[in-house]
Amino acid sequence: MYLSFLTYLILPFFLFWNQVQYSELIGSWQLTYFDGIENIVKSADYQNASSAQRANMDAKIKYRLESTVYQFVEGDTLKFIDFVNQKVVQKTAKVELRDGEILVIHEEDQDRLAKIIELTPQKLVLLPISATSKSGKMVFERIPEKK
C-alpha cells in the first residue's frame, strides 16, 4: 500500500518532467532516416530494378533526405521543405505542442500531427499520426548553428 501511494505521488512528477518544451526544438533539424524509405528499398520494385534504375532511386532517396530540413523558429513557426508535384517548395507553418509530446503543424489546408518519441540535444524522433496512411518513424539530427 505504501509503495502504490508513493507511485501516485511520483508518477505525475515524471510525466511532467518528460514533457517536451518548444524551446528544446528551436533550431534546424536534418532528416537522416525515414521508415518509409526503408520500405521502398525492401520493395519488389526496388529489388527487381536494374542497377541503373536502382541508382536513380537511390539518388532520389538521398535528395529527399538531404532536402528535408525542419527549422523551428522562436515563437510558433516551422519552416520546412516539402515536395509538391515532385518539386521542392519552401513552406512556413504555425506549430504547437500538445500535451508535451504531440507536435501539431498547422498548414493552409490541413493539420499534420506527429508524436515526439525521442528528443535529445542532437536527435529528434517523430512518429507521424495519420488516419489515412501508415507513415513511419522519422529521425532528425540537429544541424549545428553556423558562427
Side-chain angles (χ1 to χ4, degrees):
M1 172 132 171
Y2 177 73
L3 193 56
S4 64
F5 178 70
L6 251 167
T7 303
Y8 284 111
L9 286 176
I10 295 173
L11 186 60
F13 174 75
F14 282 112
L15 291 175
F16 175 75
W17 183 262
N18 287 332
Q19 289 189 340
V20 172
Q21 302 299 314
Y22 184 78
S23 61
E24 296 174 274
L25 295 170
I26 293 174
S28 297
W29 299 86
Q30 173 76 52
L31 182 66
T32 58
Y33 174 83
F34 177 50
D35 280 351
I37 291 172
E38 187 174 309
N39 292 338
I40 291 170
V41 172
K42 290 179 179 178
S43 73
D45 288 341
Y46 183 90
Q47 295 297 320
N48 297 327
S50 69
S51 58
Q53 290 170 322
R54 251 195 236 167
N56 184 31
M57 287 187 233
D58 288 342
K60 287 180 181 179
I61 289 169
K62 182 179 180 206
Y63 180 70
R64 181 68 185 236
L65 288 172
E66 289 174 350
S67 298
T68 304
V69 174
Y70 282 12
Q71 181 183 9
F72 293 92
V73 182
E74 291 280 344
D76 61 355
T77 303
L78 173 64
K79 295 179 181 179
F80 63 102
I81 300 290
D82 202 359
F83 289 82
V84 178
N85 298 325
Q86 307 230 351
K87 292 188 180 191
V88 175
V89 178
Q90 176 75 46
K91 289 189 172 185
T92 302
K94 295 293 179 191
V95 293
E96 69 175 289
L97 264 173
R98 289 187 187 157
D99 302 325
E101 67 176 6
I102 303 296
L103 182 66
V104 183
I105 302 170
H106 300 286
E107 291 189 71
E108 296 171 6
D109 58 345
Q110 68 177 343
D111 285 348
R112 294 185 189 186
L113 287 87
K115 182 174 183 173
I116 299 172
I117 297 174
E118 180 182 344
L119 177 61
T120 69
Q122 300 306 317
K123 184 178 180 182
L124 169 64
V125 182
L126 299 176
L127 182 63
I129 301 169
S130 172
T132 58
S133 70
K134 294 187 177 187
S135 297
K137 180 171 65 171
M138 302 170 73
V139 179
F140 293 82
E141 290 182 12
R142 187 180 294 275
I143 300 171
E145 290 184 37
K146 295 178 184 175
K147 296 186 180 194

